[in-house]
Amino acid sequence: MSEIKKVTVLGTGVLGAQIAFQTAYNGFEVSAYDINEQAIEAARQRMAGLVTSYKADFPEAPDGKAEDTLNRLSYFTDLAKAVADADLVIEAVPEVLEIKRDLYTRLSKVAPAKTIFATNSSTLLPSAIKDFTGRPGKFLALHFANLIWKHNVVEVMGTTETDASVIETCMTFAPKIGMVPVAIHKEKAGYIMNTLSVPFLRAALELVVDGYAEPADVDKVWRISNGVPYGPFQVLDIVGMNTPYNVFGHSDEKGRLIADWIKQNYIDKGKLGLSSGEGFYTYP
Ligand code: NAD
């Protein structure tokens, strides 16, 4: 088992920025890579926003801890430089198989032999990518949840070719960045999290689309009856409307109806959820 000291995150969008920030917040040097200067500028803004979120959610943390995190983050548009000394690369680029395969093909040529590669893909199986990594033994999925500093679970899932020691290295590393690791014994589309939450969110949407109840009332019943803080529509606002639109739009006929409803009533009106300030609820 090797020790992770330097981490590189590929893709600095919603999840990539959170993974990079969370890792740096816990004391690691992190390199963040994206495709161009515009994307890097957007990443810097996301990181600044995360300083505010961490300060609000960890009021007991030492003064300046969130701000100091920014000093451990470096930004790159050159892939070879970004991964030059990385022990672990976590990839969070768009959920498009061709983009991921192309990136791993380039990555395999420039990363040191020691580097472990991990994909944060939500729906693609790592076995669909492994042959493009040049190192299937050192490749696995590390699946983080949105708002990772609060929803701090990471699902650790290899392929049949992933070395057991690589799984162990990642299981040992995760708590060092404040995450609770959970090993999945064999490949499963959706891991544990989405295997449970996708049918749950769909059932909630069906109740509303079919006219049985209002979103806030569905949430109220779920919260009170189960003693939990969030209902399904609060979860959907956190996830953002694009993901359920894509997931349900690529399922069956009823799923496409739900996707159209999300598009007409929310996406087309700019109501993307928490990130845009309005979804099923409004946010300050
Ligand atoms: P996003 O669209 O917010 O960010 C993607 C980032 O990748 C952007 O900054 C983009 O510029 C960059 N990018 C595009 N092509 C690239 C390339 N070739 N090389 C490097 N960077 C490139 O996407 P996201 O929501 O952060 O999702 C990223 C991954 O994380 C996906 O695989 C997704 O399934 C997974 N994921 C997302 C969530 C979520 O709630 N959003 C949760 C868990 C996992």
Side-chain angles (χ1 to χ4, degrees), residues 60 68 71-72 100 110 181 188 191 194 258:
E60 74 291 353
D68 289 349
N71 300 327
R72 285 189 292 279
K100 294 199 192 268
V110 294
K188 168 76 181 155
Y191 310 82
N194 291 334
I258 293 171

Side-chain angles (χ1 to χ4, degrees), residues 10-16 33-35 39 46 91-95 99-100 102-103 106 119-123 143-146 238-239 243:
L10 308 182
T12 57
V14 174
L15 254 286
Y33 164 82
D34 214 305
I35 40 176
R46 280 183 197 281
E91 166 269 309
V93 307
E95 191 72 343
I99 293 181
K100 294 199 192 268
D102 171 65
L103 178 62
R106 291 186 289 120
T119 180
N120 180 48
S121 172
S122 302
T123 59
H143 182 239
F144 295 83
N146 204 344
I238 293 168
V239 171
T243 300

Side-chain angles (χ1 to χ4, degrees), residues 115-117 130 133-140 158-167:
T115 313
I116 295 172
F117 297 168
K130 71 175 168 48
T133 64
R135 61 188 74 192
K138 287 201 175 81
F139 174 63
L140 77 173
T159 71
T160 51
E161 289 178 55
T162 310
D163 294 343
S165 66
V166 167
I167 303 267

Side-chain angles (χ1 to χ4, degrees), residues 5-12 20 29-36 40 72-91 93 103 106-107 109-112 114-117:
K5 292 188 185 126
K6 290 198 75 178
V7 177
T8 299
V9 176
L10 308 182
T12 57
E29 293 294 328
V30 178
S31 300
Y33 164 82
D34 214 305
I35 40 176
N36 54 36
I40 295 295
R72 285 189 292 279
L73 287 161
S74 313
Y75 300 89
F76 296 88
T77 53
D78 180 318
L79 186 60
K81 287 184 183 152
V83 302
D85 192 27
D87 299 300
L88 173 65
V89 167
I90 304 174
E91 166 269 309
V93 307
L103 178 62
R106 291 186 289 120
L107 178 64
K109 293 180 185 139
V110 294
K114 66 170 182 177
T115 313
I116 295 172
F117 297 168

Side-chain angles (χ1 to χ4, degrees), residues 28-256:
F28 288 84
E29 293 294 328
V30 178
S31 300
Y33 164 82
D34 214 305
I35 40 176
N36 54 36
E37 287 304 329
Q38 198 182 348
I40 295 295
E41 184 46 39
R44 288 184 194 277
Q45 282 172 23
R46 280 183 197 281
M47 301 303 178
L50 288 169
V51 169
T52 309
S53 300
Y54 276 62
K55 281 167 76 88
D57 288 332
F58 300 115
E60 74 291 353
D63 269 0
K65 182 171 178 183
E67 289 86 348
D68 289 349
T69 299
L70 299 178
N71 300 327
R72 285 189 292 279
L73 287 161
S74 313
Y75 300 89
F76 296 88
T77 53
D78 180 318
L79 186 60
K81 287 184 183 152
V83 302
D85 192 27
D87 299 300
L88 173 65
V89 167
I90 304 174
E91 166 269 309
V93 307
E95 191 72 343
V96 177
L97 189 56
E98 286 317 312
I99 293 181
K100 294 199 192 268
R101 284 179 170 173
D102 171 65
L103 178 62
Y104 280 102
T105 303
R106 291 186 289 120
L107 178 64
S108 67
K109 293 180 185 139
V110 294
K114 66 170 182 177
T115 313
I116 295 172
F117 297 168
T119 180
N120 180 48
S121 172
S122 302
T123 59
L124 302 168
L125 290 176
S127 58
I129 301 170
K130 71 175 168 48
D131 293 340
F132 297 80
T133 64
R135 61 188 74 192
K138 287 201 175 81
F139 174 63
L140 77 173
L142 290 182
H143 182 239
F144 295 83
N146 204 344
L147 308 186
I148 76 170
W149 64 98
K150 293 193 283 191
H151 304 167
N152 61 330
V153 70
V154 61
E155 297 175 280
V156 181
M157 185 174 85
T159 71
T160 51
E161 289 178 55
T162 310
D163 294 343
S165 66
V166 167
I167 303 267
E168 207 185 323
T169 296
C170 292
M171 294 291 290
T172 306
F173 167 70
K176 294 181 184 166
I177 59 162
M179 305 304 295
V180 177
V182 173
I184 314 288
H185 300 320
K186 55 184 178 180
E187 278 192 295
K188 168 76 181 155
Y191 310 82
I192 295 173
M193 199 188 304
N194 291 334
T195 298
L196 295 174
S197 66
V198 171
F200 166 67
L201 296 175
R202 176 172 168 146
L205 281 159
E206 282 187 18
L207 283 170
V208 171
V209 172
D210 291 344
Y212 292 104
E214 296 303 315
D217 290 330
V218 174
D219 282 355
K220 198 180 289 175
V221 170
W222 186 257
R223 279 197 313 267
I224 296 174
S225 60
N226 289 288
V228 293
Y230 299 139
F233 290 95
Q234 291 168 287
V235 173
L236 283 164
D237 269 1
I238 293 168
V239 171
M241 299 298 167
N242 288 328
T243 300
Y245 173 73
N246 287 326
V247 170
F248 299 126
H250 289 97
S251 58
D252 51 15
E253 198 178 327
K254 180 76 181 193
R256 284 191 289 280

Side-chain angles (χ1 to χ4, degrees), residues 241 262-273 275-279:
M241 299 298 167
I262 293 173
K263 183 169 184 308
Q264 278 171 27
N265 291 286
Y266 294 91
I267 296 176
D268 287 351
K269 293 178 179 168
K271 299 179 183 178
L272 299 180
S275 66
S276 72
E278 187 172 359

